Amino acid sequence: MIPHGAPAFLSRVLLAMAGLMLPGPGDEGRTYLNRVWQMSEGLSNNGVNSICQDAQGYIWAATFNGIDRFDGMKFENFTTRDGLPSNHVVCVFADSRGRLWVGTIAGIAWRENGTWKKLPDGPKGNAYLREASDGTIWAACDDQIWKISGDRATHMDVPGSNPNLHALLPDDAGGMWILGRSNVYHCTRDGEPQELRGPWTDDLEGLTRDREGRLVVCGNGMIVRRDADGWTDLCPLIPGSTEDAIHTCMTTADGTLWLATRNAGLVYLDGKATDRLDTPATISVNDTRCLFIDRQGSLWVGTNGGGLNQLRRRMFDSYGHAEGLGRAVTTAIVSGPDGVLRIGTNGSGVVRKEGARFVPDLRGTGLPERVPVWSMAYDKEGALWVGAYRDPLFRVKDGRASQVASMFPEGAPYTQFLSLHASRDGGLLLGMSGYGLRRLEGGSCRVLLEKPYVWNIYDTLEDSHGNLWAAAGREGVWLSGKEGWRDMRPETGVAYMNAAVLTESAGRGVWIGTLGQGLIQWRDGRAKRWTGKEGLVNDAICQIEADDRGYLWLATEGGLQRLELAELENSPGLGGPPLHGVSFSHADGLPPGQFTTGHGTLSLKAPDGSLWFSLSGGAIHVDPAVELMEPAAPVVHIESAANNRGRLWQFETATTRDRLVQPAGAGTLLIHFTAPYFIHPEKLRFRYRMSGLETEWREAGSERTAGYAMPPPGEYRFEVMAATSGSGWPATPTVMTVVVQPFFWQTVGFRVIATAAGFIALGIGMRTWTERRMKRRMARLEEETRLERERRRIASDLHDDLGATLSEINFIGTFSAVTYTDHPVRDNLQHIVTRAQRMAKSLDEIVWTVNPTHDNLSSVARYLCSRSQESLRTAGIRCRLDVSEDLPEVTFDSQLRHHLLMAVNEIIHNVMKHSGATECMLSIHREQDELVISVRDNGRGFRRSECPADRNGLTNLERRMNEIHGSFEITSTPGQGTLAVLRSPLPLQK
């Protein structure tokens, strides 16, 4: 410990001795991925003084040109035009109430409900702000401390001349640590500032607390920690020079102490290792000014001139050309009894790991230097077996490599040893190309599985139950048990399987990696399978390892993926919900080159629990013990809405943040949304829908605006969600109610009034129409009545006048004929009588037709029957009648009655004149909507084709029936009589 006032060299000596117990800078440290945003990407200024994250997840960056809000894709800048006291912003932080506080060189402002508010009676100089543990806002400015409550501020002076206060650190009791240029103060919640003495003289820059709550103070060329018995100098722990000014310090949740320096980049101390992160490898410039950790675990660094840096810790270390690998494809990774990690390559022989590099190995053992290694394995005796491409199998033991011969019949060609595995009982399992699976033991080689079942064996596994598994590529996967070998493709339900790799996890069964069919688990006689649809980054799985922390690691053709074994256990497999794995691609620092496949020892779980995976251009080393903060699912925020009239709604300023009202006739509605997300934000996918207006989701891709042209009036539910490239859609979307107001004529009140008015107008119209209709009907009825009276008068006049005259002529003619019996005039008189009788008959028919009394079907039927009987009786032909009793009471007008009468008369006349019949039947009945009148005789019959061409009686019949929309049919056979049928549609009943 360093007493106050101890010489500087003494402190360096003491800490140098303590530093011997900590890893030095030569040890392997952390590696980070960095992404930089500068003015070319929208940042308002490349000098960033302070960083924070608000409750919605936005990153805020204080610059020399105002303050910027960042969602991962775009920056929004706020300056004095928006209400800031000055554009030179030195401090920004978000309090527990969701307010954003800004300290500038001209005073303080805070943002609440989308509006910047200034503190009228607060400090006017450089203001630095923090929130105490009790929620009080503290501000440090020059030589005063301010406490802010509401929009009022009170202050107290700090002892000393020109303390130049510029940093604050809350304690756990509502008080505050205060840093000046050459002093440190502590102020309790209700007390006065008290100076804290320490081993410094000037140029103090920052303060923090370490993982154990001890105070750490940094400055120009110094960093000290307050312990129970004094101050401890931490400079000897910093790699490289310690003369640079340390601008600020910060302790993260994992206990790592971070230092931002003026010219030496970043430095971290985590109790296990220390290292320096500088340009150009890690950050944009070495002049770093501020530090911040966001909720996704990224370290944000503000620089002086280098913009905004985002650092994410690599999950793995890469080994390529610079580390002694990558000149040839990595084909095997093993760890021997000596604890040395060895890698086999296709063309560069075997190499071993020394420190952070790989160096050639097994030189001078007799193993060819550039042997194309295809597989490697250690047996129980500690010997290293090396399988080569079209070379013998080598055994390396005690510094000597020997070839293993007599494995095949003499003259057989060499093969490729695709996989080597030492069995529990001491034998060596050989997976070969073209020769299947064999077992080498005691100098003999025994065939286990080969043609015609399989050709190539790419991996083997001896599970915890003593069963032997073999991955045979396109021949699937095979299992050897008590009953012998069996093809597992039918039992796994995968008819076509390209099996590449096998592994077993404790209590979780056997895992099968395939090239194109995804991941398969076999456990307790049951198989489950997952593909890209269930969350895998790729269906081609090259390597598999299970770590000791409950995760399964998949090296695929689409990158590296970590899955939780417990989630896999609870997942149903195909058709189930997407898995929530973490994936790594080239954007996460995965080196170029594809993961190697087609060999049996491509990956390794080392004795220390770390994992190794082979690449075509090297290898990667993964430490599962590194805490990986899985990125939270992106949360969508609806920022604003606009229409043809301008901005309509803004989240921060809206009185109702979950409700948007679109005025009537405002045109196209545009809704702007985003999701603050900073790990590959360009890969975010959005989709949305307006529930109530549409049912299907609209896939927006990376677009962050939804547009609806002239939405109809109504109340809707706007839903939007986001997902990363490797995750499924969340179950719950972000929701906002959207109300599209109607025009006044579209409102319910207007519709009620309009409906009522419409009904009234309709009633008036109906009444007027009904009255007019009744008047027209009355006029028509009066006209019909007048016509009926006129028809009755005409019928009466014809009957009374013309009928009486014809009867008189008939009487006179008959009397005269009797008087002049032998006179020559008698024949003329008889002819007059006959013509008068015919005229009387025709007159009777005309009177019957004209008289409206007979405008009904029953009268028609009676008259047709009486006229037919009368006519047939004069010819001596018996007339039989068949009239239905259920004839409807319908009205037949005079034209219809006239045509039916004329047609029946014509048929009866033909029967009397041509048939030679003795009997004739008249039938009148109804068939559906037709009146059917038929006349059947028992006469001689005829053929219609033999009728004289000058006879047109039948033609007249057809014409008459067509005029009343009826039909005429006649059927006759010589010697069998004739049937004539008249069909007429029945008029509608009135």
Side-chain angles (χ1 to χ4, degrees), residues 208-261:
T208 186
R209 290 194 289 177
D210 68 4
R211 72 176 76 192
E212 298 177 10
R214 297 172 293 190
L215 185 66
V216 176
V217 180
C218 66
N220 189 9
M222 59 85 63
I223 177 168
V224 294
R225 182 184 66 212
R226 188 188 187 201
D227 292 311
D229 53 354
W231 292 90
T232 301
D233 187 3
L234 302 182
C235 284
L237 303 180
I238 300 176
S241 173
T242 59
E243 300 301 324
D244 293 316
I246 301 174
H247 276 141
T248 189
C249 53
M250 179 187 68
T251 302
T252 56
D254 62 357
T256 300
L257 177 63
W258 286 89
L259 311 174
T261 74

Side-chain angles (χ1 to χ4, degrees), residues 308-321:
L308 186 63
N309 289 243
Q310 178 201 31
L311 274 66
R312 292 188 294 123
R313 186 174 178 181
R314 288 178 186 261
M315 191 68 187
F316 40 80
D317 301 316
S318 301
Y319 296 87
H321 182 79

Side-chain angles (χ1 to χ4, degrees), residues 674-689:
T674 189
Y677 198 76
F678 308 101
I679 300 178
H680 310 314
E682 65 281 352
K683 294 184 179 180
L684 278 184
R685 299 170 293 133
F686 294 87
R687 67 177 182 177
Y688 62 88
R689 68 180 176 185

Side-chain angles (χ1 to χ4, degrees), residues 549-571:
R549 301 172 68 85
Y551 294 100
L552 192 71
W553 295 76
L554 308 179
T556 76
E557 290 186 359
L560 186 66
Q561 185 173 21
R562 191 189 74 174
L563 300 172
E564 189 174 358
L565 284 167
E567 184 182 15
L568 289 167
E569 189 69 23
N570 296 325
S571 170

Side-chain angles (χ1 to χ4, degrees), residues 367 379 383-388 391-397 400-408 413-415 417 420 428 430 432 439-445:
L367 187 72
D379 63 16
L384 176 63
W385 292 81
V386 180
D391 273 317
L393 180 65
F394 294 93
R395 181 177 185 269
V396 183
K397 178 68 174 175
R400 290 188 57 192
S402 58
Q403 296 185 11
V404 179
S406 304
M407 291 183 52
F408 304 103
Y414 291 123
T415 184
F417 293 91
L420 299 175
L428 186 68
L430 310 176
M432 295 180 290
R439 179 186 179 88
L440 180 64
E441 186 175 14
S444 63
C445 186

Side-chain angles (χ1 to χ4, degrees), residues 505-511 519-524 526-530 550-552 563-573 577 579-580:
S505 57
R508 307 286 186 178
V510 173
W511 300 91
L519 176 67
I520 302 172
Q521 180 196 35
W522 179 264
R523 181 181 179 188
D524 300 329
R526 179 173 171 266
K528 288 197 295 184
R529 182 161 70 104
W530 296 266
Y551 294 100
L552 192 71
L563 300 172
E564 189 174 358
L565 284 167
E567 184 182 15
L568 289 167
E569 189 69 23
N570 296 325
S571 170
L579 301 170
H580 298 87

Side-chain angles (χ1 to χ4, degrees), residues 78 255 260 327 358 385 432 436 450 476 495 525 552 595 598 612 631 639 705 754 777 800 824 843 894 900 920 948 989:
F78 300 91
R327 294 179 178 87
F358 283 87
W385 292 81
M432 295 180 290
E450 65 171 356
L552 192 71
F595 284 105
W612 288 83
E639 292 186 311
T705 300
R777 187 174 180 182
D800 295 343
L843 180 62
S894 59
L900 288 178
C920 179
Q989 298 186 25

